C-alpha cells in the first residue's frame, strides 16, 4: 500500500483525507492518505522522516508552504513562480514540489467564464492571492486590480506580477477604491480570509457594488456560502464557492501522484458532505 499525507499545523479539520481516500477507493488504488500535525521546529525532521519512510507524496498547508522549499530536491516551474508549495511528489527518493492552488482557482473560474483578455479584481495579497494572480497571468488576463488592507503588500505583489509580464494596479480596500475598480472588471475574487467561520457576517466588499454581469468567486470555503457570495448572488451575479478551488487543488495533486484522472465529482461530494453541505452535487 502506498502512503500519502498532509503536513501542516493545524491539520485536524482538513477535508483532504476524506477527499483523497474517497478518490483512492473510488478508483481501486491501494493507497491511504493521513494528516500529520507538524510544528515549524520539526519541519526538517518531518521531511527526513517522509523520505526515510518512503511516503509517496504529500500536501503542505499553513504554515509550511514557503518554509518547506529548502527541504525539497527540486521545484516544478509553477511553484518557482509562486514561491510556495502545496503538493510534493516523492520520485525515487527525490522530493519534487508543485503548487496546484493557482491552477485550481483558475479551473474553478474557467468552469464559469473565459479568462483570456479579462480584467479581474482580486481582494487580498497573501499566499493564496499570489498563487491565483500568477495563474491568472498564465491564462492571459488583460489586467489585475489588487486590493489589500495593507497597501505595501499589494504593491509588492503587483511589482512581482509586472516582472512576470502582467499588468497590475495596487489599491486599498476602501469603498471608493473598490467602487472605481469594480466598474472596469468582469470578475471579482475574494482571497482574503474575511468571512471565514466564525466571523461569518463579515465581508471585504460592500454588497451594493456587485452587479448581475459579474462572475464572483470566494476562496473561503467555511461557510460554504460566505456573506460575500450571498451579497453577490443577491445582486444576480454568477457565484463560485471556495469549495471548488479546494476540490481542484486536491484533484490536481491526486493526478500528479497517480497519473490518473481524478474523480472530481466524488471528491466534491465527499468534501461537501464533510463541510456540512450534503452530498447532492
Ligand atoms: N479554497 C481553497 O482551496 C483555499 C486555498 C488556500 C487558502 N484558502 C483560504 O483563503 C484565505 C486566505 O489564505 P492565505 O493563505 O492567502 O492567507 P494569508 O497569506 O494569511 O493572507 C490573508 C489575506 O487576508 C487579508 N486579511 C486578513 N484579515 C483581514 C481583515 N480583517 N480585513 C481585510 N483583509 C484581511 C490579509 O490582508 P493583510 O495583508 O492586510 O494582512 C491578506 O491579504 C484563508 O481563509 C484560507 O482558508 C482557501
Amino acid at each position: 500500500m502506498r502512503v500519502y499525507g498532509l503536513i501542516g499545523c493545524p491539520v485536524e479539520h482538513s477535508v483532504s483525507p476524506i477527499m483523497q481516500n474517497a478518490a483512492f477507493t473510488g478508483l481501486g488504488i491501494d493507497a491511504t492518505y493521513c494528516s500529520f500535525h507538524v510544528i515549524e521546529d520539526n519541519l526538517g525532521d518531518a521531511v527526513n522522516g517522509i523520505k526515510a519512510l518512503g511516503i509517496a507524496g504529500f500536501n503542505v498547508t499553513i504554515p509550511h508552504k514557503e518554509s518547506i522549499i529548502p527541504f525539497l530536491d527540486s521545484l516544478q516551474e509553477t511553484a518557482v513562480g509562486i514561491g510556495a508549495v502545496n503538493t510534493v511528489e516523492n520520485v525515487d527518493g527525490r522530493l519534487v514540489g508543485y503548487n496546484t492552488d493557482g491552477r485550481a482557482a483558475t479551473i474553478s473560474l474557467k468552469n464559469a467564464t473565459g479568462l483570456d483578455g479579462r480584467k479581474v479584481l482580486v481582494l487580498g495579497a497573501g499566499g493564496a492571492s499570489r498563487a491565483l494572480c500568477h495563474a491568472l497571468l498564465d491564462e492571459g488576463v488583460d489586467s489585475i486590480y489588487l486590493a489589500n488592507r495593507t497597501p505595501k503588500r499589494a504593491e509588492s505583489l503587483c511589482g512581482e506580477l509586472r516582472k512576470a509580464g502582467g499588468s497590475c494596479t495596487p489599491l486599498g480596500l476602501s469603498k471608493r477604491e473598490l467602487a472605481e475598480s469594480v466598474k472596469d472588471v468582469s470578475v471579482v475574487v475574494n482571497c482574503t480570509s474575511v468571512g471565514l467561520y466564525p466571523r461569518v457576517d463579515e465581508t471585504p466588499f460592500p454588497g451594493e457594488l456587485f452587479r448581475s454581469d459579474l462572475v464572483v468567486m470566494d476562496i473561503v470555503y467555511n461557510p460554504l456560502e460566505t456573506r460575500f457570495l450571498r451579497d453577490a448572488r443577491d445582486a444576480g451575479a454568477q457565484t463560485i464557492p471556495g469549495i471548488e478551488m479546494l476540490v481542484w487543488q486536491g484533484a490536481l495533486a491526486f493526478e500528479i501522484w497517480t497519473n490518473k484522472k481524478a474523480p472530481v465529482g466524488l471528491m466534491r461530494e465527499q468534501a461537501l458532505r464533510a463541510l456540512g453541505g450534503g452530498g447532492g452535487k
Side-chain angles (χ1 to χ4, degrees), residues 35-63:
S35 298
F36 300 103
H37 185 111
V38 176
I39 60 168
E40 286 199 79
D41 283 353
N42 289 343
L43 183 59
D45 287 344
V47 175
N48 286 334
I50 282 167
K51 276 193 174 184
L53 294 169
I55 287 176
F58 59 100
N59 286 127
V60 184
T61 189
I62 287 169

Side-chain angles (χ1 to χ4, degrees), residues 124-128 148-150 153 191-194 219 221 242 245-246:
N148 198 50
R149 176 180 62 178
T150 310
R153 236 177 148 187
C191 288
T192 75
S193 47
V194 180
I219 72 161
Y221 55 82
M245 175 177 169
L246 177 72

